Amino acid sequence: MSFGQGGPYGPGGSQPPQPSTPDWAALADQSAARNRRRRLLFIGGGVLATAAVAAIVATAVVSSGHKDKSGGDAAGGLPTPQDLPSESATPEPTFSDVAPPAPPKPLDIISSARRDKAPLSAATLFPEKRAAKDDRSYTKAASASTTSCAAATQGALGSVLTNNGCRKLLRATFSRDGVAVTVGVAVFDGKAAAEKAKDQYKPNIASLTGGGVPAFCRRTACQSSANAIGRYAYFTISGYTSGKAVTASDTAALQAGRDVADYTFRRILARGSAQASAEAAATSAN
């Protein structure tokens, strides 16, 4: 072996490898940079994933909106606007804001001479041959009317009627099984006068004879009553055609007087109802 030349590690040759120390700062910077890239990639991936899910859902919603053969929504939704029926060309009905007048009331009509204009007589007020109440019936025996109200009364009733302005007095007599009743209907201009005549009542209306009924209740005790409706005050006197006196416990004369009074009330009210119907019909025609 020659020692005159330098060996591999002599002068002019390569230096032997030297031990090296890691650059910890650089390594730390590189690691931090890698971590930042990972976070950015993770965030970006999440955004992309969310967008992809939203796109899939939107596509599913749009796809589910296809129509079935009937033109409706296959998913059960409403039909599209173009599939809805068009508005009818027929105009909608309109209604007046003005309320129709209230129908006339029968009691209002028979409470005022200005409105109570129908013909009035004993024949028109008592047109039937009989007055009935429940299973009891009374035969009309006679009827009469007068404009001299006091002339058809007895006792103090005449002055009561005259002082309150009585215009006419209509009478009718009904009988049943030996009991007779005369009803007298006094006619006034208004309701207030009729009410006053009723409240100031003093006996009696004079009984009306005729039609097979003799004079009754002239010199003997009888049953009497007084009432009013509208501009009419009506009075009854009931007793026996035999002349027998009516006692406090008597029921036949009392019942007869009540039945005829009730019949008279219904006849006066029927007069108002007929005129109210006529007024309503005339209003409708206009």
Side-chain angles (χ1 to χ4, degrees), residues 128 136 192 210 268:
E128 293 109 341
R136 299 178 295 276
I268 297 172

Side-chain angles (χ1 to χ4, degrees), residues 148-151 157-166 188:
S148 177
C149 299
L157 181 59
S159 60
V160 171
L161 299 183
T162 300
N163 293 339
N164 285 290
C166 178
F188 300 88

Side-chain angles (χ1 to χ4, degrees), residues 1-243:
M1 173 180 296
S2 171
F3 294 99
Q5 299 294 327
Y9 301 107
S14 298
Q15 296 292 324
Q18 302 291 325
S20 60
T21 301
D23 190 346
W24 298 111
L27 291 175
D29 291 341
Q30 292 174 3
S31 177
R34 285 194 300 271
N35 289 336
R36 283 195 299 273
R37 285 195 298 273
R38 287 194 192 98
R39 286 197 299 271
L40 292 174
L41 289 173
F42 178 77
I43 294 171
V47 171
L48 291 175
T50 302
V53 171
I56 292 171
V57 172
T59 302
V61 171
V62 172
S63 299
S64 66
H66 68 280
K67 298 178 186 176
D68 58 17
K69 293 181 180 180
S70 63
D73 187 358
L78 295 173
T80 58
Q82 55 267 34
D83 293 326
L84 293 172
S86 59
E87 294 184 1
S88 173
T90 304
E92 293 294 330
T94 57
F95 302 94
S96 173
D97 293 333
V98 180
K105 297 178 180 179
L107 187 57
D108 290 345
I109 292 176
I110 59 174
S111 293
S112 169
R114 181 180 58 83
R115 297 184 65 183
D116 187 15
K117 293 294 188 179
L120 179 60
S121 66
T124 60
L125 191 60
F126 304 110
E128 293 109 341
K129 294 181 179 180
R130 306 182 75 83
K133 176 67 184 293
D134 297 333
D135 58 346
R136 299 178 295 276
S137 180
Y138 303 83
T139 301
K140 184 172 71 173
S143 63
S145 64
T146 179
T147 55
S148 177
C149 299
T153 66
Q154 297 181 118
L157 181 59
S159 60
V160 171
L161 299 183
T162 300
N163 293 339
N164 285 290
C166 178
R167 299 293 185 183
K168 185 183 293 187
L169 185 63
L170 314 173
R171 288 183 297 165
T173 296
F174 299 87
S175 66
R176 177 177 183 264
D177 297 337
V179 176
V181 182
T182 292
V183 58
V185 180
V187 185
F188 300 88
D189 288 338
K191 179 179 178 179
E195 291 288 341
K196 285 182 66 177
K198 178 200 73 172
D199 294 340
Q200 296 171 6
Y201 170 74
K202 296 177 182 179
N204 279 323
I205 194 75
S207 62
L208 179 65
T209 62
V213 175
F216 66 100
C217 295
R218 293 294 176 92
R219 294 181 177 87
T220 187
C222 286
Q223 177 70 40
S224 64
S225 69
N227 217 320
I229 175 176
R231 69 187 187 108
Y232 301 89
Y234 55 100
F235 314 94
T236 65
I237 186 165
S238 57
Y240 294 97
T241 56
S242 64

